[in-house]
PDB file of all heavy atoms in Angstrom:
ATOM      1  N   SER A 130    -129.442 123.961-110.333  1.00  0.00           N
ATOM      2  CA  SER A 130    -130.298 125.081-110.699  1.00  0.00           C
ATOM      3  C   SER A 130    -129.518 126.064-111.578  1.00  0.00           C
ATOM      4  O   SER A 130    -128.330 126.304-111.358  1.00  0.00           O
ATOM      5  CB  SER A 130    -130.798 125.796-109.439  1.00  0.00           C
ATOM      6  OG  SER A 130    -129.700 126.231-108.667  1.00  0.00           O
ATOM      7  N   LEU A 131    -130.189 126.610-112.576  1.00  0.00           N
ATOM      8  CA  LEU A 131    -129.549 127.518-113.518  1.00  0.00           C
ATOM      9  C   LEU A 131    -129.378 128.896-112.891  1.00  0.00           C
ATOM     10  O   LEU A 131    -130.350 129.536-112.491  1.00  0.00           O
ATOM     11  CB  LEU A 131    -130.384 127.622-114.797  1.00  0.00           C
ATOM     12  CG  LEU A 131    -129.771 128.442-115.940  1.00  0.00           C
ATOM     13  CD1 LEU A 131    -128.460 127.816-116.407  1.00  0.00           C
ATOM     14  CD2 LEU A 131    -130.754 128.539-117.100  1.00  0.00           C
ATOM     15  N   SER A 132    -128.131 129.316-112.802  1.00  0.00           N
ATOM     16  CA  SER A 132    -127.825 130.647-112.267  1.00  0.00           C
ATOM     17  C   SER A 132    -126.967 131.394-113.281  1.00  0.00           C
ATOM     18  O   SER A 132    -126.499 130.821-114.274  1.00  0.00           O
ATOM     19  CB  SER A 132    -127.088 130.533-110.929  1.00  0.00           C
ATOM     20  OG  SER A 132    -125.839 129.886-111.112  1.00  0.00           O
ATOM     21  N   VAL A 133    -126.756 132.674-113.031  1.00  0.00           N
ATOM     22  CA  VAL A 133    -125.920 133.482-113.930  1.00  0.00           C
ATOM     23  C   VAL A 133    -124.499 132.925-113.983  1.00  0.00           C
ATOM     24  O   VAL A 133    -123.876 132.859-115.052  1.00  0.00           O
ATOM     25  CB  VAL A 133    -125.907 134.955-113.461  1.00  0.00           C
ATOM     26  CG1 VAL A 133    -124.952 135.781-114.316  1.00  0.00           C
ATOM     27  CG2 VAL A 133    -127.308 135.548-113.509  1.00  0.00           C
ATOM     28  N   THR A 134    -123.995 132.486-112.825  1.00  0.00           N
ATOM     29  CA  THR A 134    -122.635 131.943-112.765  1.00  0.00           C
ATOM     30  C   THR A 134    -122.521 130.659-113.568  1.00  0.00           C
ATOM     31  O   THR A 134    -121.573 130.484-114.349  1.00  0.00           O
ATOM     32  CB  THR A 134    -122.228 131.676-111.302  1.00  0.00           C
ATOM     33  OG1 THR A 134    -122.336 132.881-110.552  1.00  0.00           O
ATOM     34  CG2 THR A 134    -120.808 131.151-111.232  1.00  0.00           C
ATOM     35  N   VAL A 135    -123.474 129.745-113.374  1.00  0.00           N
ATOM     36  CA  VAL A 135    -123.456 128.469-114.101  1.00  0.00           C
ATOM     37  C   VAL A 135    -123.592 128.701-115.608  1.00  0.00           C
ATOM     38  O   VAL A 135    -122.871 128.111-116.416  1.00  0.00           O
ATOM     39  CB  VAL A 135    -124.592 127.547-113.604  1.00  0.00           C
ATOM     40  CG1 VAL A 135    -124.708 126.309-114.491  1.00  0.00           C
ATOM     41  CG2 VAL A 135    -124.330 127.132-112.157  1.00  0.00           C
ATOM     42  N   PHE A 136    -124.502 129.591-115.990  1.00  0.00           N
ATOM     43  CA  PHE A 136    -124.714 129.886-117.409  1.00  0.00           C
ATOM     44  C   PHE A 136    -123.469 130.529-118.031  1.00  0.00           C
ATOM     45  O   PHE A 136    -123.045 130.166-119.123  1.00  0.00           O
ATOM     46  CB  PHE A 136    -125.919 130.821-117.567  1.00  0.00           C
ATOM     47  CG  PHE A 136    -126.241 131.146-118.994  1.00  0.00           C
ATOM     48  CD1 PHE A 136    -126.882 130.225-119.813  1.00  0.00           C
ATOM     49  CD2 PHE A 136    -125.897 132.393-119.531  1.00  0.00           C
ATOM     50  CE1 PHE A 136    -127.171 130.529-121.136  1.00  0.00           C
ATOM     51  CE2 PHE A 136    -126.191 132.707-120.847  1.00  0.00           C
ATOM     52  CZ  PHE A 136    -126.826 131.770-121.652  1.00  0.00           C
ATOM     53  N   GLY A 137    -122.885 131.478-117.306  1.00  0.00           N
ATOM     54  CA  GLY A 137    -121.681 132.137-117.822  1.00  0.00           C
ATOM     55  C   GLY A 137    -120.514 131.180-117.969  1.00  0.00           C
ATOM     56  O   GLY A 137    -119.764 131.254-118.939  1.00  0.00           O
ATOM     57  N   LYS A 138    -120.383 130.277-116.992  1.00  0.00           N
ATOM     58  CA  LYS A 138    -119.315 129.283-117.046  1.00  0.00           C
ATOM     59  C   LYS A 138    -119.505 128.332-118.228  1.00  0.00           C
ATOM     60  O   LYS A 138    -118.545 127.978-118.915  1.00  0.00           O
ATOM     61  CB  LYS A 138    -119.305 128.493-115.730  1.00  0.00           C
ATOM     62  CG  LYS A 138    -118.084 127.630-115.518  1.00  0.00           C
ATOM     63  CD  LYS A 138    -118.106 127.011-114.123  1.00  0.00           C
ATOM     64  CE  LYS A 138    -116.876 126.152-113.890  1.00  0.00           C
ATOM     65  NZ  LYS A 138    -116.884 125.535-112.544  1.00  0.00           N
ATOM     66  N   ALA A 139    -120.756 127.941-118.479  1.00  0.00           N
ATOM     67  CA  ALA A 139    -121.049 127.049-119.604  1.00  0.00           C
ATOM     68  C   ALA A 139    -120.734 127.729-120.939  1.00  0.00           C
ATOM     69  O   ALA A 139    -120.146 127.119-121.838  1.00  0.00           O
ATOM     70  CB  ALA A 139    -122.511 126.626-119.559  1.00  0.00           C
ATOM     71  N   ILE A 140    -121.118 129.006-121.076  1.00  0.00           N
ATOM     72  CA  ILE A 140    -120.843 129.749-122.311  1.00  0.00           C
ATOM     73  C   ILE A 140    -119.342 129.920-122.516  1.00  0.00           C
ATOM     74  O   ILE A 140    -118.818 129.775-123.632  1.00  0.00           O
ATOM     75  CB  ILE A 140    -121.538 131.130-122.282  1.00  0.00           C
ATOM     76  CG1 ILE A 140    -123.064 130.961-122.286  1.00  0.00           C
ATOM     77  CG2 ILE A 140    -121.101 131.975-123.477  1.00  0.00           C
ATOM     78  CD1 ILE A 140    -123.604 130.266-123.513  1.00  0.00           C
ATOM     79  N   LEU A 141    -118.620 130.199-121.431  1.00  0.00           N
ATOM     80  CA  LEU A 141    -117.171 130.375-121.517  1.00  0.00           C
ATOM     81  C   LEU A 141    -116.488 129.074-121.931  1.00  0.00           C
ATOM     82  O   LEU A 141    -115.570 129.077-122.767  1.00  0.00           O
ATOM     83  CB  LEU A 141    -116.631 130.853-120.164  1.00  0.00           C
ATOM     84  CG  LEU A 141    -115.152 131.281-120.125  1.00  0.00           C
ATOM     85  CD1 LEU A 141    -114.893 132.401-121.115  1.00  0.00           C
ATOM     86  CD2 LEU A 141    -114.762 131.702-118.707  1.00  0.00           C
ATOM     87  N   ARG A 142    -116.935 127.952-121.360  1.00  0.00           N
ATOM     88  CA  ARG A 142    -116.397 126.644-121.749  1.00  0.00           C
ATOM     89  C   ARG A 142    -116.660 126.377-123.227  1.00  0.00           C
ATOM     90  O   ARG A 142    -115.784 125.873-123.945  1.00  0.00           O
ATOM     91  CB  ARG A 142    -117.031 125.541-120.897  1.00  0.00           C
ATOM     92  CG  ARG A 142    -116.475 125.417-119.496  1.00  0.00           C
ATOM     93  CD  ARG A 142    -117.346 124.509-118.636  1.00  0.00           C
ATOM     94  NE  ARG A 142    -117.490 123.196-119.227  1.00  0.00           N
ATOM     95  CZ  ARG A 142    -116.719 122.150-118.940  1.00  0.00           C
ATOM     96  NH1 ARG A 142    -115.751 122.290-118.039  1.00  0.00           N
ATOM     97  NH2 ARG A 142    -116.912 120.982-119.492  1.00  0.00           N
ATOM     98  N   LEU A 143    -117.870 126.704-123.669  1.00  0.00           N
ATOM     99  CA  LEU A 143    -118.229 126.482-125.074  1.00  0.00           C
ATOM    100  C   LEU A 143    -117.336 127.302-125.996  1.00  0.00           C
ATOM    101  O   LEU A 143    -116.790 126.777-126.983  1.00  0.00           O
ATOM    102  CB  LEU A 143    -119.697 126.848-125.291  1.00  0.00           C
ATOM    103  CG  LEU A 143    -120.202 126.774-126.737  1.00  0.00           C
ATOM    104  CD1 LEU A 143    -120.152 125.347-127.257  1.00  0.00           C
ATOM    105  CD2 LEU A 143    -121.614 127.318-126.843  1.00  0.00           C
TER     106      LEU A 143
END
Side-chain angles (χ1 to χ4, degrees):
S130 57
L131 185 62
S132 63
V133 175
T134 303
V135 172
F136 182 76
K138 192 174 181 180
I140 294 298
L141 188 58
R142 282 168 57 94
L143 175 64

